[in-house]
Amino acid sequence: MSFTENIAKQFALIGNTNVAELRKNAFTAFEKLGIPSSRHEEWKYTNIKTKLNEQLSLTPVDSQVNTAVKNYISSLPPYSFRIIFLNGVFHSELSIVPQMKGLTVCSLKEAFTSNSSLVEKYFGKLVNYSEEHFAALNTAFVNDGAFVHIQKNVLIDEPIYIQYFFTASDVNAFAQTRSLVILEDGASIQLAEDFRNASNISVQYNHVSEVYVGKNASIDIVKLQLEVSNAIGVDTLEAQVERDGKFSAATITFSSPNTGTGKALIRNNVTARLIGENSHADLNGLYFGKETAHIDNHILVDHISPNCTSNQLYKGVLDDESTGVFNGKIFVKPDAQKTNAFQSSKALLLSNEASINSKPQLEIFADDVKCSHGAAVGQLDENALFYLRARGITKQEATQILTYAFAHEVIEHVHSKPIRQFLCDRLKDELKVNF
Amino acid sequence: MLSIKNLNVSIQGKQILRDFNLEIKAGEIHAIMGPNGTGKSTLASTLAGKEEYEVTSGEVIFNAKNLFDMSADERAREGIFLAFQYPVEIPGVSTTNFMKAAVNAKRKHQGLEPMDAKDFLKLMREKMALVEMNKEFSSRSVNEGFSGGEKKRNEIFQMAMLEPALCLLDETDSGLDIDALRIVANGVNKLRDANRSFLVITHYQRLLNYIVPDYVHVMYGGKIVKSGGKELALKLEEQGYDWIKEENSELV
Ligand SMILES: Nc1ncnc2c1ncn2[C@@H]1O[C@H](COP(=O)(O)OP(=O)(O)OP(=O)(O)O)[C@@H](O)[C@H]1O
Ligand SMILES: [Mg+2]
């Protein structure tokens, strides 16, 4: 059976009758698009086609909770909200969803019926599935996911922790996970999406988040990809920000040393569309590559309205033969006067075999704007290393401390204190820094 | 404590130290003066283990050990401390964390457990008070945004924390105002004892009024060309280096 026949057959089998029209359109789009090869401009340095298994299995599988899942859940800080998915399927018995006035947190499956008008209005409207291969595939096959809706002027100061576990025992499984987050005007929330391979084989997943930020609303979203040394993951985050709104996202990727077959390929697409005047986007990323891991961050900030600001800070630490890609686009549309857009991409190469492909892309169609970008690739500062060593700190520890300092700057941008602390501890663990 | 014999050092193929000799005994203070570019910092950095400096010949024995068998960090753990002429800024690493790593590296070397958190903070407070450093510096990144004088004080603070056997002070007095000079000198004097030695590089006799040396050496053309007591510094202050340069014109 050919690749397309296989996918079409599986599509026909899904029983999801919700958003059927949209799904059908997305499927038609995917049939045209297929999986991108490296001939595609946006996938030039990330040859995902050769990495994904040929016989993809897309139908959702409800799975047993294994010990890896249990252990990780018990290791998490005691977040008030904990929404747990296994292979894209919501598990209410593992989740904690307290009732709060003005806030709805539930599975997308439930929202399809309980909040059908909101879903109807917002679901699939931000992703560009006619051009984005993986967004199309996800939209066509999505069956469940996370749904978060906050009413006008409601402020939630506890982070909402969404955990996606992948526990496949079939190497062909390609899990489709999804979230839809809607902030009405003046609402504020912090959210984390944590992706984790809890299987003992290499997993494949494709996630899409759609985030609507209303007028004067603000969201701080953190993507955690902390256990991806054995995963192929595509993550697409699409946000739209209205007047005076604030959108802040941090993507944190750690590839720990491989234990199994070691297929680490992560592609993150983050898009922020500043559609309302005086809105703001803060897009940060930190990635650690080891062994043959490949980590690709594709960022787009679309300045559509005047007086908006945006900030991108991406930092990578690449060791062994790992490779990184940073593609940061800033579009400034003709109406977007008084735009202030800043971009910085820095990578530390800890080995001679590691490499990064960094490409800023500025397209500016307004005249009264301030845009700047900088890219730096290099090693740790020799003078700083010597200074630490001159105080008795070993070369290895000095390297770890300076790498920690380099990376920590990104984590400082995470607003949620418990998540920031969690990341800080994880970073210390990773670098074996003990202060 | 330190014995330097016929030391020759080059940087990028250019010879800087030439047959340099110096003996420092436990408890002594030696001052080194000399015109700009004669190799004073080169000497200090070579002793501290900076890798760009290539030792072409000669030997240095520090407390019965061959110095050149040890890496920079080993030397520091063995008790060599360089107060930098230009202290380095380390963004993202707080002074507290930096010192914790340094103190515990030394303790590990001595076979001791890491210092208890409470004792460590007490030690920090005590040593910061010694150089009258405000405690807010402990949470700031090392040297980042510090004024020139604050950086120099920070060097002496670190020295006090690490209690080295041999202190190399490279122009610690430059950039200090009159009060700070006194504070730093007092800090150094409090660390003086029978087992600790100092090599003080300076351009100004004034510092030596506060930190009174046992010996003053004049460096020129990569070697010591004159040695004497503290009165030699006074003579240099009055007469400058012309007479030294004339006496040693063959060196340059
Ligand atoms: N990294 C380097 N690369 C090239 N030349 C260097 C380097 N470091 C030092 N030198 C040269 O070595 C010579 C000695 O320098 P050094 O810093 O030791 O002098 P100094 O006696 O400490 O001078 P000052 O009183 O100005 O501090 C100078 O000519 C200097 O330019
Ligand atoms: Mg000097």
Side-chain angles (χ1 to χ4, degrees):
Chain A
M1 192 167 22
S2 79
F3 177 78
T4 19
E5 278 166 6
N6 173 28
I7 303 265
K9 192 175 141 223
Q10 294 184 59
F11 183 70
L13 282 173
I14 307 192
N16 188 352
T17 53
N18 301 296
V19 291
E21 185 71 22
L22 175 75
R23 290 179 45 249
K24 220 171 120 236
N25 294 342
F27 184 71
T28 312
F30 180 74
E31 280 190 308
K32 271 201 219 108
L33 294 165
I35 302 286
S37 76
S38 56
R39 280 195 304 272
H40 191 288
E41 185 58 27
E42 297 298 328
W43 294 87
K44 202 167 164 184
Y45 302 104
T46 299
N47 198 350
I48 194 162
K49 196 167 181 154
T50 59
K51 292 283 175 67
L52 280 171
N53 285 324
E54 229 161 286
Q55 293 300 318
L56 294 173
S57 164
L58 290 139
T59 34
V61 276
D62 202 348
S63 342
Q64 293 298 307
V65 176
N66 64 23
T67 40
V69 168
K70 281 189 201 139
N71 289 346
Y72 188 64
I73 291 176
S74 60
S75 79
L76 285 173
Y79 298 120
S80 309
F81 288 88
R82 195 175 78 190
I83 327 299
I84 308 240
F85 292 86
L86 259 65
N87 309 313
V89 178
F90 177 60
H91 277 243
S92 66
E93 81 285 5
L94 299 173
S95 305
I96 303 172
V97 191
Q99 292 296 312
M100 265 192 207
K101 205 166 171 274
L103 173 72
T104 308
V105 177
C106 67
S107 75
L108 201 50
K109 211 171 200 168
E110 189 187 325
F112 280 136
T113 45
S114 66
N115 281 281
S116 57
S117 57
L118 282 172
V119 173
E120 210 52 58
K121 186 173 168 197
Y122 291 109
F123 185 79
K125 299 294 190 294
L126 283 186
V127 289
N128 181 7
Y129 60 75
S130 54
E131 283 176 34
E132 295 282 342
H133 314 69
F134 291 95
L137 185 69
N138 186 288
T139 306
F141 280 88
V142 72
N143 206 35
D144 202 353
F147 176 81
V148 179
H149 175 246
I150 322 170
Q151 287 175 13
K152 202 166 169 178
N153 296 331
V154 172
L155 316 176
I156 307 287
D157 52 13
E158 307 261 0
I160 298 189
Y161 205 89
I162 307 176
Q163 175 74 54
Y164 302 94
F165 285 112
F166 304 103
T167 64
S169 52
D170 171 8
V171 288
N172 294 320
F174 192 20
Q176 308 295 309
T177 59
R178 183 113 181 179
S179 61
L180 174 60
V181 180
I182 306 157
L183 280 82
E184 302 287 354
D185 296 350
S188 165
I189 202 170
Q190 298 159 358
L191 197 126
E193 291 192 297
D194 183 346
F195 301 83
R196 175 162 287 256
N197 180 358
S199 144
N200 43 22
I201 57 165
S202 187
V203 297
Q204 312 178 114
Y205 70 88
N206 175 24
H207 179 82
V208 172
S209 311
E210 287 176 291
V211 179
Y212 292 84
V213 183
K215 296 188 186 76
N216 199 33
S218 81
I219 184 168
D220 185 35
I221 177 165
V222 184
K223 296 261 183 188
L224 302 168
Q225 301 161 337
L226 305 181
E227 205 51 68
V228 294
S229 49
N230 224 347
I232 294 174
V234 180
D235 189 310
T236 303
L237 167 59
E238 290 275 346
Q240 170 181 293
V241 194
E242 292 185 51
R243 181 164 55 77
D244 301 319
K246 283 196 181 71
F247 173 72
S248 167
T251 306
I252 317 287
T253 313
F254 281 86
S255 90
S256 356
N258 288 337
T259 41
T261 50
K263 267 195 184 176
L265 183 151
I266 295 295
R267 163 64 171 254
N268 295 305
N269 302 305
V270 179
T271 304
R273 297 192 198 278
L274 301 172
I275 62 164
E277 202 165 327
N278 200 35
S279 57
H280 178 76
D282 209 359
L283 307 180
N284 305 304
L286 173 64
Y287 51 97
F288 277 76
K290 282 197 181 141
E291 304 196 350
T292 55
H294 178 80
I295 301 162
D296 175 347
N297 283 296
H298 263 64
I299 319 303
L300 164 61
V301 181
D302 196 2
H303 281 266
I304 297 166
S305 281
N307 290 310
C308 296
T309 51
S310 68
N311 234 316
Q312 298 174 43
L313 173 66
Y314 271 75
K315 285 191 163 185
V317 178
L318 299 169
D319 205 347
D320 305 325
E321 298 152 65
S322 64
T323 46
V325 177
F326 175 80
N327 183 296
K329 296 187 183 72
I330 299 174
F331 292 169
V332 181
K333 298 284 162 66
D335 284 343
Q337 298 297 355
K338 306 273 182 211
T339 285
N340 211 324
F342 177 78
Q343 176 189 96
S344 162
S345 159
K346 292 182 183 160
L348 264 183
L349 302 182
L350 297 183
S351 99
N352 290 333
E353 277 77 49
S355 66
I356 169 104
N357 211 297
S358 193
K359 182 179 172 197
Q361 209 174 316
L362 275 54
E363 294 181 15
I364 301 171
F365 298 101
D367 42 33
D368 187 10
V369 301
K370 276 198 195 117
C371 275
S372 69
H373 68 91
V377 180
Q379 280 81 40
L380 288 170
D381 177 15
E382 281 298 327
N383 288 323
L385 266 176
F386 179 66
Y387 192 69
L388 267 65
R389 295 182 69 193
R391 298 300 176 249
I393 300 167
T394 61
K395 187 174 182 181
Q396 190 187 356
E397 195 184 348
T399 304
Q400 287 158 348
I401 289 175
L402 293 177
T403 308
Y404 174 82
F406 172 80
H408 191 261
E409 190 192 351
V410 176
I411 290 174
E412 277 168 40
H413 281 82
V414 173
H415 296 260
S416 163
K417 199 174 166 209
I419 293 173
R420 193 172 60 236
Q421 192 55 52
F422 171 70
L423 282 173
C424 206
D425 292 345
R426 180 65 174 78
L427 186 63
K428 283 180 188 173
D429 259 18
E430 177 77 18
L431 294 167
K432 298 180 189 70
V433 166
N434 44 12
F435 46 64
Chain B
M1 163 148 335
L2 185 76
S3 163
I4 305 174
K5 290 211 178 89
N6 297 321
L7 183 62
N8 286 282
V9 173
S10 303
I11 182 150
Q12 291 174 352
K14 181 177 150 200
Q15 186 167 14
I16 310 292
L17 297 187
R18 297 159 202 267
D19 287 331
F20 187 97
N21 290 286
L22 182 65
E23 289 280 333
I24 300 180
K25 296 201 176 67
E28 289 178 351
I29 296 195
H30 291 242
I32 292 193
M33 303 182 83
N36 293 132
T38 48
K40 303 181 297 298
S41 293
T42 300
L43 172 68
S45 299
T46 304
L47 294 176
K50 194 151 195 191
E51 278 153 11
E52 298 94 286
Y53 295 92
E54 193 201 341
V55 177
T56 49
S57 66
E59 72 164 13
V60 178
I61 304 296
F62 170 64
N63 279 341
K65 287 188 179 137
N66 186 346
L67 194 73
F68 299 135
D69 287 345
M70 293 186 264
S71 65
D73 44 286
E74 262 178 290
R75 295 179 202 188
R77 291 191 297 275
E78 284 281 327
I80 290 185
F81 184 93
L82 169 63
F84 284 60
Q85 181 172 2
Y86 304 109
V88 182
E89 298 194 3
I90 317 281
V93 180
S94 72
T95 302
T96 302
N97 285 341
F98 175 50
M99 277 294 101
K100 208 179 275 176
V103 166
N104 287 332
K106 181 161 183 182
R107 287 175 67 90
K108 189 174 173 192
H109 186 67
Q110 294 167 333
L112 298 170
E113 288 291 304
M115 197 175 230
D116 169 80
K118 236 166 104 192
D119 293 344
F120 176 77
L121 290 176
K122 190 164 156 264
L123 185 71
M124 285 275 294
R125 267 200 303 276
E126 194 183 303
K127 303 300 184 184
M128 287 185 111
L130 186 79
V131 288
E132 298 181 24
M133 239 166 101
N134 191 314
K135 66 174 188 301
E136 60 136 319
F137 284 100
S138 57
S139 56
R140 279 174 63 180
S141 292
V142 178
N143 293 325
E144 194 183 34
F146 286 25
S147 75
E150 287 164 353
K151 284 180 182 169
K152 295 303 177 78
R153 269 196 224 199
N154 190 19
E155 294 294 288
I156 301 306
F157 155 70
Q158 292 173 33
M159 189 170 97
M161 286 292 290
L162 296 171
E163 302 187 326
L166 174 65
C167 306
L168 311 168
L169 307 188
D170 192 356
E171 293 195 29
T172 302
D173 53 335
S174 63
L176 293 179
D177 66 38
I178 299 157
D179 290 336
L181 180 69
R182 190 176 34 78
I183 292 162
V184 161
N186 281 342
V188 170
N189 284 331
K190 288 207 183 99
L191 291 172
R192 276 186 90 154
D193 75 26
N195 299 315
R196 184 169 291 134
S197 310
F198 291 83
L199 181 67
V200 180
I201 296 170
T202 183
H203 285 296
Y204 305 104
Q205 189 273 332
R206 197 179 50 188
L207 177 72
L208 305 179
N209 286 336
Y210 294 103
I211 305 174
V212 182
D214 299 299
Y215 301 94
V216 173
H217 309 281
V218 181
M219 237 181 116
Y220 185 62
K223 57 163 62 175
I224 289 175
V225 293
K226 193 129 225 127
S227 294
K230 60 179 189 285
E231 64 293 339
L232 178 57
L234 279 169
K235 183 173 177 186
L236 291 170
E237 180 88 358
E238 271 168 30
Q239 303 184 3
Y241 290 115
D242 281 352
W243 61 285
I244 297 276
K245 290 180 182 167
E246 269 161 39
E247 280 178 19
N248 297 283
S249 54
E250 80 285 356
L251 286 177
V252 180

